[in-house]
C-alpha cells in the first residue's frame, strides 16, 4: 500500500493545505483517494476538491438526480459503494427510476440502488490512472454531508483505455453538468 510522508497541520493556510494534498496525490496519481484520505485523516471529498481543475471537476449538485438519470444512456458502468468496513462493486446499467418516500430508486435488471438524496452534498467528475493497471479511469463521484464517498460511477473500471467516444461522452457530461463558478 502506498504511504505518504505528508502531514496536514492545523496551522496550515487553506492554500498550503490544498497544495499539500495535491503533493500527496501526485506522489502516486494512481492511488485510491479513499486510502489517501485515510492516511491524511481527512474526508475524501477534500482530496477531490483539492484537485479541482486538474483531474477533478465539481458538478452542479442541484442537478444530482438529473445526472443520475442521465447515466442510463451510458450503458453498463461499475458502481462502487463503500462504508466504514466494506466496499462493493456492482456492474450494470442505470434505469427503472422512481421516487418513493424520499429515495431515488434505481431498479434495472442489473442495478438495484436506493439513494437518499437528502444525505448527498457534492458531486464531481474525476479522472485518474487506475490503481489496478494504470489505464485512465473516468468516474462520477457522489459525496455525503460528511465528505465521505456515497457512491462512485466508473465508466471504464474493467480495464483498458477509454475509447475516444467514451471520453467525448464523459466530457459532454462535464460540460452539461459543470458547476457554475
Amino acid at each position: 500500500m502506498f504511504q505518504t510522508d505528508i502531514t496536514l497541520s492545523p496551522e496550515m493556510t487553506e492554500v498550503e493545505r490544498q497544495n499539500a494534498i495535491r503533493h500527496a496525490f501526485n506522489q502516486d496519481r494512481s492511488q485510491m483517494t479513499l486510502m489517501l484520505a485515510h492516511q491524511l485523516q481527512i474526508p475524501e471529498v477534500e482530496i477531490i476538491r483539492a484537485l479541482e481543475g486538474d483531474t477533478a471537476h465539481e458538478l452542479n449538485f442541484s442537478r444530482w438526480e438529473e445526472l443520475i438519470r442521465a447515466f442510463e444512456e451510458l450503458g453498463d458502468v461499475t458502481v462502487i459503494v463503500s462504508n466504514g468496513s466494506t466496499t462493493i462493486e456492482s456492474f450494470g446499467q442505470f434505469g427503472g427510476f422512481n421516487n418513493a418516500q424520499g429515495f431515488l430508486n434505481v431498479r434495472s435488471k442489473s442495478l438495484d440502488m436506493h439513494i437518499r438524496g437528502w444525505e448527498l452534498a457534492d458531486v464531481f467528475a474525476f479522472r485518474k490512472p487506475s490503481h489496478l493497471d494504470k489505464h485512465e479511469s473516468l468516474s462520477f463521484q457522489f459525496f455525503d454531508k460528511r465528505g465521505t464517498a456515497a457512491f462512485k460511477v466508473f465508466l471504464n473500471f474493467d480495464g483498458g483505455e477509454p475509447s475516444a467516444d467514451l471520453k467525448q461522452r464523459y466530457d459532454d457530461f462535464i460540460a452539461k453538468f459543470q458547476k457554475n463558478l
Side-chain angles (χ1 to χ4, degrees):
M1 180 172 77
F2 173 79
Q3 295 291 319
T4 184
D5 59 353
I6 303 297
T7 303
L8 300 179
S9 161
E11 293 82 32
M12 289 179 154
T13 66
E14 184 61 29
V15 169
E16 290 170 333
R17 184 178 177 87
Q18 287 193 341
N19 285 339
I21 293 168
R22 278 194 291 278
H23 178 70
F25 177 77
N26 287 333
Q27 288 177 331
D28 178 3
R29 292 174 72 89
S30 69
Q31 67 185 298
M32 293 171 47
T33 55
L34 171 73
M35 297 306 298
L36 181 59
H38 176 73
Q39 290 171 28
L40 295 175
Q41 299 178 353
I42 60 174
E44 187 177 3
V45 74
E46 283 193 49
I47 306 289
I48 306 301
R49 197 174 301 286
L51 299 170
E52 174 69 35
D54 178 9
T55 61
H57 298 280
E58 188 167 7
L59 303 181
N60 183 342
F61 176 72
S62 69
R63 298 176 66 194
W64 70 269
E65 184 173 340
E66 181 185 354
L67 174 61
I68 291 170
R69 288 176 179 270
F71 290 155
E72 185 172 15
E73 70 188 60
L74 294 173
D76 287 332
V77 296
T78 300
V79 179
I80 298 179
V81 179
S82 292
N83 64 28
S85 61
T86 304
T87 298
I88 188 166
E89 301 170 3
S90 184
F91 184 74
Q93 183 173 4
F94 279 79
F97 300 102
N98 70 63
N99 293 88
Q101 299 177 333
F103 289 83
L104 172 62
N105 298 302
V106 178
R107 301 289 305 258
S108 71
K109 291 180 181 178
S110 51
L111 288 180
D112 188 356
M113 296 175 68
H114 310 282
I115 301 166
R116 295 179 295 278
W118 66 87
E119 289 290 335
L120 299 177
D122 297 289
V123 60
F124 290 84
F126 187 60
R127 70 172 42 169
K128 72 173 197 68
S130 167
H131 70 280
L132 298 172
D133 64 5
K134 311 292 191 243
H135 75 272
E136 184 179 32
S137 176
L138 309 176
S139 67
F140 295 96
Q141 303 191 8
F142 293 77
F143 294 87
D144 66 20
K145 294 175 182 177
R146 293 168 300 283
T148 302
F151 63 96
K152 301 176 181 183
V153 177
F154 287 84
L155 280 58
N156 64 322
F157 190 75
D158 57 349
E161 291 298 325
S163 67
D165 177 62
L166 186 60
K167 284 183 181 181
Q168 184 60 56
R169 292 168 74 194
Y170 178 77
D171 289 341
D172 290 347
F173 265 68
I174 293 171
K176 181 176 181 178
F177 293 101
Q178 183 87 36
K179 181 177 181 178
N180 297 328
L181 303 175

